[in-house]
Amino acid sequence: MSPDRGSRILYCNSIIAQLQYHLGLLSLLIPLISLTAGALKWNSAIIFALNIVALIPLGSWINRSVDALTVGRSRAVNEFLKSTLGNSVELMIGINAIAQNRPHISQSVILGSVLSNLLLVLGGTIFVSGYDQKRLRFDRTLTTVLSSLMMVVFILLALPTIMDVFPSTKATSADQILLTQRITAVILVTLLLTFLIFRLGTHATMFASTPFSQRDQTRNGHQSRQSQVIQAQIPQSYIGKGPAAIILVTTSVSALACTYYVVNSLSGVASITGMNQSFLAVTLVPLLGNSVKYRYIVVGSRSYNQIELGIRAVINNVLRVTMLIAPLLVLLGWAFDQPLILRFDGFEATTLLLSVVVMTYLISDGRSNYFEGLMLIGTYIIISFSFFVRPEVPMNVIFLGA
């Protein structure tokens, strides 16, 4: 990418950012309307549509506030904020699902978030970054470490499902499966803390490595440009830390209220539209709720000519959801006497496993191309359609249960 083209891209991005900032102020009216609709008990479909759309601007402001608050902070604080509030949709849906005794919705949203990241977002990132290039290159060692960790996490999450689907001569009791789930949650959180030490401390140089250029250019001028690009991606504190803290609290509370109405209206929407709740929770909720974050990953990787950063962001999103959000919800249910078990049925567990395997295989050699991105997108579309045509399964089979 020539310096002139890079400058034009950065200039256009700055103009777009300014427009988005002013439009973002006006978009805060959407949550007000959606909360009013929920309070007045409008039609379930209208309540669901307004509140799920309201999560888009709220998510954008949450991310901006987190970025502003993390400037100048330690990397540990940055990671904590991005792991929790950076995945506000999954976290707040889970909290409201526990409060309303409908934890199966939380499980479906977590599954949908993982599938959309591993297939749709990663595929979109690879396609958009490489449609006009012969090949894309990235750090093979780093992606192997992250994908291997993700495989281990999947096995731990699938243990309750395996115990339930493949029992011994005597079926394992629900209490024993619940105990296994809680121990697994504690182990996952411990692994996450150890991974942060690995990532931020003992092996920080591995994660700070300069990404490969997509065009395999290695001249000094290009390397200097890469360094400038990396610095350009550091969050800019256009919001002061004081206002950012106020905005973060306000938008987080609003998002929590919106997700309450999303969870509450989901069954009504399923009855009106004829769709099953699993399809709505697996596809629409994570896609719309995280649309701003997904767009930043896909467009940012193309604009800054750094596919590796996009791949890292996708894998980190999945690890944060599976190693922190899911275990936190299990522990939260334990604290409030709501015994939760992450128990997928055979179809869900298979789709999750295949997504991890396909993603790991495609990035294992440190190279990719736009067609492989299309393959991931096509796989996501097929899986989503399968959830659409699949009949609703009884609650005691697929849902988080006691």
Side-chain angles (χ1 to χ4, degrees):
M1 184 174 65
S2 65
D4 291 339
R5 182 186 176 190
S7 299
R8 288 196 300 269
I9 290 176
L10 291 176
Y11 176 75
C12 292
N13 285 342
S14 65
I15 297 298
I16 293 174
Q18 291 294 327
L19 291 174
Q20 289 176 337
Y21 174 76
H22 294 292
L23 291 175
L25 294 175
L26 295 176
S27 67
L28 291 178
L29 293 175
I30 300 176
L32 180 61
I33 297 173
S34 63
L35 293 177
T36 301
L40 296 179
K41 298 182 180 180
W42 291 2
N43 180 275
S44 295
I46 296 177
I47 294 175
F48 176 82
L50 288 175
N51 281 276
I52 199 68
V53 170
L55 292 177
I56 298 176
L58 289 175
S60 177
W61 280 104
I62 289 174
N63 290 333
R64 292 179 186 178
S65 303
V66 168
D67 286 343
L69 290 173
T70 55
V71 173
R73 303 283 185 181
S74 67
R75 297 184 66 184
V77 174
N78 295 356
E79 185 64 29
F80 174 77
L81 289 175
K82 291 180 180 179
S83 297
T84 52
L85 295 178
N87 296 285
S88 56
V89 172
E90 294 84 0
L91 178 62
M92 294 177 182
I93 287 285
I95 293 174
N96 279 297
I98 291 174
Q100 299 182 37
N101 197 25
R102 304 179 67 188
H104 56 281
I105 295 176
S106 175
Q107 173 177 304
S108 297
V109 171
I110 290 174
L111 175 64
S113 178
V114 173
L115 293 177
S116 60
N117 271 288
L118 292 181
L119 299 176
L120 182 63
V121 182
L122 181 59
T125 299
I126 294 174
F127 173 75
V128 171
S129 297
Y131 67 84
D132 60 346
Q133 302 184 36
K134 188 173 182 179
R135 66 176 179 177
L136 302 168
R137 293 186 62 221
F138 40 87
D139 190 341
R140 176 181 178 180
T141 302
L142 179 59
T143 53
T144 300
V145 170
L146 294 175
S147 57
S148 299
L149 175 61
M150 192 155 46
M151 183 65 72
V152 172
V153 171
F154 165 77
I155 293 173
L156 292 178
L157 288 176
L159 279 179
T161 302
I162 296 172
M163 294 174 67
D164 194 38
V165 176
F166 303 103
S168 58
T169 55
K170 183 179 180 181
T172 307
S173 67
D175 290 339
Q176 291 173 323
I177 295 179
L178 178 60
L179 178 61
T180 303
Q181 179 71 89
R182 289 170 174 173
I183 293 175
T184 301
V186 174
I187 292 175
L188 283 173
V189 174
T190 304
L191 279 177
L192 177 62
L193 295 177
T194 307
F195 174 65
L196 291 180
I197 296 174
F198 177 85
R199 176 183 171 185
L200 305 179
T202 60
H203 290 69
T205 54
M206 176 190 297
F207 291 85
S209 60
T210 302
F212 284 104
S213 166
Q214 291 184 10
R215 298 187 183 275
D216 298 327
Q217 295 173 319
T218 57
R219 292 175 297 185
N220 292 334
H222 176 74
Q223 290 175 346
S224 175
R225 179 62 185 162
Q226 285 287 79
S227 299
Q228 294 175 11
V229 168
I230 293 174
Q231 293 175 2
Q233 294 186 88
I234 298 176
Q236 301 299 315
S237 182
Y238 64 87
I239 305 176
K241 285 186 168 55
I246 297 174
I247 292 173
L248 182 60
V249 172
T250 304
T251 52
S252 297
V253 172
S254 300
L256 186 63
C258 288
T259 53
Y260 170 83
Y261 289 116
V262 168
V263 173
N264 190 54
S265 61
L266 201 57
S267 58
V269 175
S271 299
I272 294 173
T273 61
M275 302 179 185
N276 60 66
Q277 295 184 52
S278 296
F279 169 75
L280 295 172
V282 167
T283 57
L284 292 183
V285 174
L287 282 181
L288 292 177
N290 295 310
S291 59
V292 174
K293 181 169 62 176
Y294 293 166
R295 176 185 172 276
Y296 285 159
I297 294 174
V298 175
V299 177
S301 298
R302 172 69 184 184
S303 300
Y304 296 116
N305 201 31
Q306 293 183 17
I307 180 63
E308 183 178 307
L309 295 180
I311 294 176
R312 289 192 198 186
V314 169
I315 297 178
N316 284 332
N317 280 339
V318 174
L319 291 177
R320 288 164 181 165
V321 170
T322 54
M323 297 183 71
L324 182 64
I325 302 301
L328 277 182
L329 293 177
V330 173
L331 297 177
L332 184 64
W334 189 4
F336 288 91
D337 197 24
Q338 290 282 350
L340 307 182
I341 302 175
L342 284 170
R343 183 162 46 201
F344 302 99
D345 70 348
F347 175 76
E348 293 174 325
T350 302
T351 56
L352 191 58
L353 174 62
L354 291 178
S355 300
V356 175
V357 171
V358 169
M359 183 278 303
T360 302
Y361 176 77
L362 289 182
I363 68 174
S364 61
D365 60 352
R367 295 180 296 177
S368 188
N369 54 66
Y370 77 92
F371 183 69
E372 291 183 343
L374 284 179
M375 290 169 58
L376 291 173
I377 295 174
T379 303
Y380 178 79
I381 294 173
I382 293 172
I383 290 177
S384 298
F385 184 74
S386 299
F387 275 99
F388 176 76
V389 300
R390 185 170 179 252
E392 192 76 60
V393 183
M395 188 174 300
N396 60 353
V397 175
I398 70 167
F399 297 157
L400 291 166

